[in-house]
């Protein structure tokens, strides 16, 4: 079972940047698809971005595209989410997740999840 630990969340102002990290252990990281999701209060969890183990990248085509960038460092077993020009509507708990197979944007493709890190953006 893969264990995932997110870090890097916090309270920022609109327009600021944050970089979230997710450290993985217990699996062969270089063979995992890695994704980021978020869940705002009262809303369903939504897909943000994912990077497959073979190099494919997929982003939510809605509000985050062009502002958020996913990257991974297989040498450090870590996936990152760089978030620029943050907006109050980006306030949510951010989760990383890993999968072996399945569509990158499908929540059900992922079988291991981190505990989440809170991001709060003030206006």
């Amino acid at each position: 079972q893969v264990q995932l630990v997110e870090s890097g969340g916090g309270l920022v102002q609109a327009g600021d940047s944050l970089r979230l990290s997710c450290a993985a252990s217990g699996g062969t990281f270089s063979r995992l698809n890695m994704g980021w999701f978020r869940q705002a209060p009262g809303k369903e969890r939504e897909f943000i971005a994912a990077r497959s183990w073979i190099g494919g990248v997929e982003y939510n085509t809605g509000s985050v595209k062009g502002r958020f960038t996913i990257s991974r460092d297989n040498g450090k077993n870590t996936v990152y989410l760089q978030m620029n020009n943050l907006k109050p509507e980006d306030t949510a708990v951010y989760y990383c997740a890993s999968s072996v197979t399945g569509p990158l944007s499908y929540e059900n493709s992922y079988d291991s999840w981190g505990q989440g890190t809170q991001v709060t953006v003030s206006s």
Side-chain angles (χ1 to χ4, degrees):
Q1 183 75 7
V2 177
Q3 290 83 45
L4 302 171
V5 179
E6 302 97 336
S7 60
L11 173 63
V12 298
Q13 294 186 333
D16 285 351
S17 297
L18 275 178
R19 189 177 78 157
L20 305 183
S21 301
C22 173
S25 61
T28 305
F29 183 79
S30 61
R31 292 298 185 98
L32 295 174
N33 302 322
M34 299 299 298
W36 285 98
F37 293 75
R38 70 183 180 187
Q39 188 168 21
K43 296 187 177 181
E44 294 186 351
R45 190 154 54 187
E46 68 168 340
F47 168 74
I48 299 173
R51 184 173 283 271
S52 74
W53 69 275
I54 57 173
V57 180
E58 188 169 337
Y59 288 96
N60 181 319
T61 57
S63 60
V64 307
K65 191 173 184 181
R67 299 189 297 122
F68 291 10
T69 303
I70 186 171
S71 62
R72 62 189 294 164
D73 185 337
N74 288 344
K76 295 183 178 180
N77 289 357
T78 300
V79 63
Y80 304 97
L81 185 68
Q82 177 67 43
M83 305 186 294
N84 298 329
N85 189 22
L86 283 160
K87 304 176 181 181
E89 52 264 40
D90 295 318
T91 295
V93 178
Y94 285 71
Y95 299 90
C96 73
S98 68
S99 80
V100 176
T101 187
L104 293 178
S105 64
Y106 283 29
E107 186 172 334
N108 288 342
S109 296
Y110 295 84
D111 41 36
S112 293
W113 293 81
Q115 81 288 350
T117 185
Q118 176 71 47
V119 172
T120 303
V121 185
S122 64
S123 58

